[in-house]
Amino acid sequence: MCEHGNVAAMEAASEVGVDTRWSEMLRTYHTVSNELEHELQAGHGLGLSDFELLKALCRCCGPDKAKVRMKDLEAEMYLSQSAFSRTVTRLEKAGFVERAECGFDRRSNFLAITDAGGERYRSAAETYRAVLNEHFA
Amino acid sequence: MCEHGNVAAMEAASEVGVDTRWSEMLRTYHTVSNELEHELQAGHGLGLSDFELLKALCRCCGPDKAKVRMKDLEAEMYLSQSAFSRTVTRLEKAGFVERAECGFDRRSNFLAITDAGGERYRSAAETYRAVLNEHFA
DNA sequence: TGACATCACATGCGCGCGCATCTAAGTTGC
DNA sequence: GCAACTTAGATGCGCGCGCATGTGATGTCA
């Protein structure tokens, strides 16, 4: 096969492959995100987006910095601006993050994780890792 | 490295890999599904779940069979039972599928694709393939 | 045959999402 | 310094989703 450089066949095979890759991703994504959603909610009272935001916040803050601009954190995530804003509101009501004014630019808000937020994140992260290992390891 | 079979290091590396795999899947999934959603909606008036249902229906029907039991089709998809039921309702209102009674079991419904549904599916499938090739090829 | 579990599907409900829009604050150009 | 534009973030709105439940038909067991 391929001795004539059969482009049509290669394209066909390639398209089937692309389609299959997407179908598998769709199935895996729904399976894993549903399980994460359930486990995080049941065990820690967090939705998946809540957790992913806390995760990004911890990563962006690093060990030294305590605050991140909301816009910068938003850029790290898959959420729309409005969904991001509401997720922050949820987490703030729960006491896991705090909005703080930014002296330089009064349009911006800094975002900081609270002690309670850090603790909740670390315990939820164990559940998170367990679920991912179960599906990807 | 690995000369002592360093299990801790391997586990750590493995966990990072799992986490990264999931993060990339999350990003890719949202990027691709958003683009599919937009392109299919703008070009063909179909949501992604609408399209995926038509796709599964065409696949299950094959070239000969004309009908599939709803439960069987549902099992092929990632949607919950309720979301599946409503997707069928949307597609039926649009005239792309038809529910038909099943003589054997009056709880069940057969599902059939209409001519309009077949045509819409085939033209949408070109858009679908184009988007997937753009991201996976 | 009658009581009970199960199945296929529909539907009320609440929620998180993206889109469009709004407000307030910063920026640019004349 | 003022008008026009851009940016950060909040919010009204509609929609699709999953969960829980309802309805009616089927299967099961005594």
Side-chain angles (χ1 to χ4, degrees):
Chain A
M1 69 176 81
C2 285
E3 49 191 328
H4 302 293
N6 187 328
V7 177
M10 289 175 66
E11 279 182 353
S14 159
E15 278 185 11
V16 169
V18 165
D19 192 341
T20 301
R21 264 183 81 181
W22 172 244
S23 294
E24 285 174 3
M25 175 173 288
L26 211 50
R27 190 181 48 73
T28 305
Y29 169 79
H30 279 97
T31 304
V32 175
S33 69
N34 281 342
E35 187 168 337
L36 281 174
E37 198 81 54
H38 283 129
E39 295 293 319
L40 290 173
Q41 192 66 56
H44 312 278
L46 293 172
L48 177 55
S49 294
D50 298 333
F51 179 83
E52 293 286 347
L53 195 150
L54 289 179
K55 184 180 153 198
L57 182 53
C58 286
R59 181 161 36 82
C60 284
C61 281
D64 45 347
K65 282 183 298 180
K67 300 174 178 180
V68 188
R69 276 185 53 246
M70 279 187 55
K71 259 299 168 206
D72 295 336
L73 195 62
E74 184 192 323
E76 296 286 306
M77 295 196 60
Y78 56 85
L79 287 174
S80 70
Q81 185 270 321
S82 65
F84 178 80
S85 172
R86 287 183 222 268
T87 303
V88 170
T89 302
R90 276 198 307 278
L91 289 169
E92 192 175 32
K93 277 184 185 164
F96 297 148
V97 302
E98 279 173 350
R99 279 183 244 245
E101 285 190 3
C102 166
F104 302 87
D105 186 342
R106 291 200 321 206
R107 294 169 303 178
S108 296
N109 278 148
F110 275 129
L111 206 62
I113 193 162
T114 64
D115 290 348
E119 287 173 24
R120 185 64 60 100
Y121 168 68
R122 279 185 291 278
S123 71
E126 296 177 23
T127 301
Y128 182 82
R129 278 192 293 269
V131 170
L132 292 192
N133 276 322
E134 185 186 319
H135 285 279
F136 291 107
Chain B
M1 66 179 82
C2 286
E3 50 190 330
H4 302 295
N6 187 327
V7 176
M10 289 175 66
E11 279 180 356
S14 156
E15 278 185 13
V16 168
V18 164
D19 193 340
T20 301
R21 264 183 83 181
W22 172 244
S23 294
E24 285 175 2
M25 175 172 287
L26 213 49
R27 190 181 48 73
T28 304
Y29 169 79
H30 279 97
T31 304
V32 175
S33 69
N34 281 341
E35 186 168 339
L36 281 174
E37 198 81 55
H38 283 128
E39 295 293 318
L40 290 174
Q41 193 65 57
H44 312 278
L46 292 172
L48 177 55
S49 293
D50 298 333
F51 179 83
E52 293 286 348
L53 194 151
L54 290 179
K55 184 180 154 197
L57 182 53
C58 286
R59 181 161 36 81
C60 284
C61 279
D64 45 348
K65 283 183 296 181
K67 300 173 176 179
V68 188
R69 276 184 55 242
M70 279 186 54
K71 259 299 168 206
D72 295 336
L73 196 61
E74 185 193 320
E76 296 286 306
M77 295 197 59
Y78 56 85
L79 287 174
S80 70
Q81 185 270 322
S82 65
F84 178 79
S85 172
R86 287 183 223 268
T87 302
V88 170
T89 301
R90 276 199 307 278
L91 288 170
E92 192 174 31
K93 277 183 185 164
F96 297 147
V97 303
E98 279 173 352
R99 279 183 242 243
E101 285 189 3
C102 167
F104 303 87
D105 186 342
R106 293 200 321 206
R107 293 169 304 180
S108 296
N109 277 148
F110 276 128
L111 206 61
I113 193 163
T114 63
D115 290 347
E119 287 172 24
R120 184 65 59 102
Y121 168 67
R122 280 185 293 276
S123 69
E126 296 177 23
T127 301
Y128 182 80
R129 278 192 293 268
V131 171
L132 292 191
N133 277 322
E134 186 186 317
H135 286 280
F136 291 106

